[in-house]
Amino acid sequence: MALRLLLLALGLAELLAPRKVVDFWMELTTAESDVELRSWVYTAARLEGLVIVLWLLAAGRGGDES
């Protein structure tokens, strides 16, 4: 349950503010600050957020079968 909430928060953050999420992770992973990302990276992050949210909503509709 906690993992689903964490994934939902990440998915919503990527969906609503992809630039902040991507920039945050890029600052953590790169040593150089002059890395330039291509414009499609933010679109891909937004799509990833949408897929995560839709996947969690679809999984939630099935109910707990375990």
Side-chain angles (χ1 to χ4, degrees), residues 17-39:
R19 187 170 296 273
K20 288 184 180 181
V21 174
V22 170
D23 290 345
F24 169 77
W25 288 112
M26 286 303 295
E27 285 180 22
L28 285 179
T29 59
T30 59
E32 300 176 16
S33 62
D34 62 343
V35 174
E36 291 186 32
L37 297 174
R38 301 200 185 240
S39 61

Side-chain angles (χ1 to χ4, degrees), residues 37-58:
L37 297 174
R38 301 200 185 240
S39 61
W40 59 264
V41 171
Y42 301 111
T43 303
R46 182 167 279 162
L47 288 173
E48 181 183 38
L50 179 64
V51 168
I52 290 171
V53 169
L54 290 177
W55 176 61
L56 289 172
L57 290 176

